Amino acid sequence: MPKPPSRTAVVRTALRDLRVQLALLNHQVGSQLSLKDAELDCLDVLARDGALTPSALARRAGIHPATMTGILDRLERGGWVVRDRDQTDRRRVTVRVVKERTAAVYQAYRGMNGAIDKICAGYSEDELDLIAGFLNRCAEAGHTSTEKLAAN
């Protein structure tokens, strides 16, 4: 009789499945909104972190700075972001989302957000704290692994 997979292996498999499903969801949302995956990622970073310089946005979204110019050009043409120039140093630019446009993104994710709310309702506050801590630690491990791979 084969040995059942370890609990850690089961968790890894579940995370891989989740990654695939979220990628598929993001692709569908992007298709509905005529946004490429990288553009959707940039909008997410800006919505969470607020206005950023293009280079800071590139770092946080994991996009090469030279590629960022084209992404920002498309997002700006689509009315998704605005580039603001610093009044004292006109070379300094920050990028911010157009809040009125982000409602379309939230609308596209409404089904998934509602499903997550229902799932979370079945857990206690302590269990949700544990789950959130686990997911945050996994995200940090992913960040660290990405940095190590990029350094090679």
Side-chain angles (χ1 to χ4, degrees):
M1 174 172 251
K3 181 180 174 186
S6 70
R7 285 187 172 88
T8 301
V10 171
V11 168
R12 273 196 230 108
T13 298
L15 286 171
R16 289 171 63 194
D17 291 344
L18 176 60
R19 188 209 62 78
V20 169
Q21 290 307 311
L22 290 176
L24 292 170
L25 175 64
N26 290 340
H27 184 72
Q28 285 300 315
V29 168
S31 293
Q32 284 186 2
L33 301 173
S34 298
L35 293 169
K36 296 177 181 179
D37 290 347
E39 295 166 351
L40 197 55
D41 290 344
C42 289
L43 289 175
D44 185 44
V45 169
L46 290 169
R48 282 185 294 131
D49 297 347
L52 295 168
T53 65
S55 59
L57 177 58
R59 272 191 311 277
R60 291 190 187 162
I63 296 170
H64 192 278
T67 306
M68 185 55 65
T69 300
I71 290 171
L72 291 177
D73 287 346
R74 286 188 300 275
L75 288 172
E76 191 170 40
R77 275 193 309 272
W80 294 100
V81 300
V82 173
R83 289 175 173 138
D84 294 319
R85 295 207 179 275
D86 188 299
Q87 296 303 313
T88 57
D89 182 356
R90 301 284 296 157
R91 295 169 296 173
R92 182 171 168 80
V93 174
T94 56
V95 181
R96 63 179 168 82
V97 294
V98 175
K99 286 188 168 75
E100 297 78 19
R101 290 298 309 265
T102 57
V105 177
Y106 292 123
Q107 177 68 23
Y109 283 107
R110 188 182 67 197
M112 181 62 170
N113 287 334
I116 291 172
D117 289 345
K118 286 179 184 176
I119 292 166
C120 288
Y123 292 92
S124 71
E125 293 294 318
D126 287 342
E127 289 170 326
L128 290 172
D129 287 343
L130 179 68
I131 293 166
F134 170 79
L135 292 172
N136 286 328
R137 289 173 63 195
C138 286
E140 183 57 36
H143 177 78
T144 300
S145 296
T146 300
E147 284 186 339
K148 287 179 181 176
L149 283 173
N152 291 334

